[in-house]
């Protein structure tokens, strides 16, 4: 999560700071992503999708079996779908996202027993730091 928090600092100005990192089974970083929705004018450019694409390029396969995705914010439904589609083995996230979170907040799109494949989930890792980074961003928006 420390690596994901560091990665989040590379989010372009004007985008909500979110960082995601994919680790392979040996613990090596194989993918990184930050939220670039505003910068890229791309509604799918969430940190998780960017990190999954980066990891798939690095590994030369779309199958991320054995990989762990660590992200600073609870994934939305789109990202939950990407995580399932990539066969990511485990998911770790920091802050809860009460409005759009799809890993337990609004709904749980990951741990549905009807899925063929269900990643392990650890939630709320370094939650205070992850939430603090978002809080600072939104405070900055309000004061501008
Ligand atoms: Zn998302």
């Amino acid at each position: 999560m420390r690596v994901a928090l560091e990665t989040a600092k590379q989010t372009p100005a004007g985008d909500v700071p979110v960082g995601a990192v994919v680790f392979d089974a040996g613990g090596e970083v194989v993918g990184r992503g930050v939220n670039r929705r505003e910068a890229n004018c791309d509604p799918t450019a969430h940190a998780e999708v960017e990190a999954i694409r980066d990891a798939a390029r690095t590994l030369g396969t779309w199958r991320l079996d054995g990989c762990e995705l660590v992200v600073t914010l609870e994934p939305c439904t789109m990202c939950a779908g990407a995580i399932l589609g990539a066969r990511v083995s485990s998911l770790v996230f920091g802050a809860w996202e009460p409005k759009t979170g799809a890993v337990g907040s609004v709904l749980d799109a990951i741990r549905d027993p009807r899925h063929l494949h269900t990643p392990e989930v650890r939630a709320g890792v370094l939650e205070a730091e992850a939430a603090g980074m978002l809080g600072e961003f939104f405070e900055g928006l309000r004061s501008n």
Side-chain angles (χ1 to χ4, degrees):
M1 184 57 73
R2 299 244 173 252
V3 182
L5 286 165
E6 276 304 309
T7 301
K9 291 176 185 166
Q10 291 158 27
T11 303
D15 268 300
V16 178
V18 180
V21 180
V22 177
F23 295 91
D24 70 9
E28 293 290 319
V29 173
V30 291
R32 285 178 194 263
V34 296
N35 180 31
R36 300 182 166 280
R37 193 167 55 172
E38 299 291 341
N40 292 12
C41 289
D42 179 356
T44 71
H46 286 189
E48 300 92 314
V49 170
E50 297 282 301
I52 285 169
R53 285 184 175 144
D54 192 30
R57 272 192 300 270
T58 301
L59 299 174
T61 173
W62 61 268
R63 290 179 162 273
L64 303 183
D65 308 80
C67 290
E68 178 167 84
L69 187 142
V70 181
V71 57
T72 55
L73 181 65
E74 182 184 1
C76 70
T77 44
M78 173 185 72
C79 292
I83 289 162
L84 292 171
R87 311 275 202 274
V88 169
S89 294
S90 65
L91 165 68
V92 178
F93 70 85
W96 292 94
E97 171 43 276
K99 290 187 191 127
T100 61
V103 194
S105 285
V106 178
L107 62 124
D108 196 332
I110 292 277
R111 286 164 293 188
D112 186 314
R114 290 169 293 187
H115 294 319
L116 293 173
H117 155 86
T118 308
E120 269 181 50
V121 176
R122 275 184 294 151
V125 175
L126 296 182
E127 182 180 359
E129 282 174 58
M133 179 179 275
L134 293 162
E136 278 170 32
F137 173 79
F138 287 111
E139 255 169 52
L141 282 186
R142 276 192 291 271
S143 63
N144 283 339

